[in-house]
Amino acid sequence: MKRLIALLSVVLVIIFLAGVAAWWRLPSITIFLMGRAIGGRIEAGHSTVSRNGILATLELTDVSLSGDVQGTVKKVRLDVKPGRGVYIKYGLVSDFDVAIKKEKAGGRFLPFQVEYGEVTGGRAVYKGQTFTINSIKIRNLNTSEPFEFSLDGGIEGYGKIKTHGRGVWRYGR
């Protein structure tokens, strides 16, 4: 019985230390996984992780992207709710200048759930076309709730675009 208790204690200590190490390395792990998601590599000038109740917050500043998506992003913030897969309670990408070099075939555009997301103040080049984004806001992306969005931006050569709407995801699309 004493051996069993000692063995369980050692296992629990190892699990605890692995959890502490994972929390400490969370920015590096997240940056690596985000780089894989864009088909390239991400480097951040500064990263912080904090916790507020059940939410884990990751903030990245001065982000450099290379690979299928290239460019710079001034600020990224993700408030992640653990335990529901990748469930982003709040996401923000701001002050960016990126070029999307390759389009992924198949699959969802964003394979995770976002309760509320914002993309503000940037420029994206896709298939030779330049898009200026003042603000994109979306609520309930890939959740079971109806989604809502608003867009304020423009396309070079076509002018400004300002729209909003709502809808329902069906069949994973």
Side-chain angles (χ1 to χ4, degrees):
M1 187 67 168
K2 287 183 181 182
R3 282 182 102 172
L4 179 63
I5 292 172
L7 181 64
L8 286 175
S9 298
V10 168
V11 169
L12 289 175
V13 167
I14 290 171
I15 290 172
F16 175 76
L17 291 175
V20 168
W23 180 262
W24 181 61
R25 298 296 301 167
L26 188 60
S28 300
I29 293 167
T30 304
I31 289 170
F32 172 76
L33 292 174
M34 288 168 54
R36 296 286 303 237
I38 67 164
R41 190 173 160 180
I42 296 176
E43 294 178 16
H46 183 70
S47 62
T48 59
V49 175
S50 60
R51 189 175 68 87
N52 183 8
I54 195 165
L55 290 178
T57 300
L58 172 67
E59 291 188 43
L60 306 173
T61 56
D62 301 323
V63 178
S64 175
L65 310 167
S66 61
D68 293 344
V69 179
Q70 299 177 348
T72 59
V73 179
K74 185 69 174 162
K75 182 177 180 181
V76 176
R77 177 182 171 163
L78 299 174
D79 293 347
V80 180
K81 194 173 190 178
R84 297 178 69 174
V86 178
Y87 184 88
I88 298 173
K89 180 91 172 155
Y90 173 75
L92 169 71
V93 176
S94 68
D95 303 318
F96 59 93
D97 187 5
V98 297
I100 303 165
K101 301 290 184 187
K102 184 178 176 186
E103 181 179 349
K104 274 190 173 177
R108 289 175 159 177
F109 176 63
L110 292 173
F112 39 82
Q113 299 175 330
V114 179
E115 190 171 313
Y116 184 73
E118 292 182 83
V119 178
T120 61
R123 183 179 85 96
V125 177
Y126 178 67
K127 291 187 177 181
Q129 190 68 54
T130 302
F131 298 85
T132 302
I133 299 168
N134 298 325
S135 172
I136 297 175
K137 297 178 184 178
I138 190 157
R139 189 176 302 280
N140 298 320
L141 179 68
N142 290 336
T143 65
S144 58
E145 302 289 321
F147 70 89
E148 299 176 18
F149 71 93
S150 67
L151 168 75
D152 180 10
I155 302 174
E156 186 178 281
Y158 293 99
K160 294 183 179 185
I161 298 173
K162 193 167 189 173
T163 187
H164 66 278
R166 60 182 75 158
V168 178
W169 293 109
R170 294 192 196 270
Y171 313 113
R173 295 186 281 184

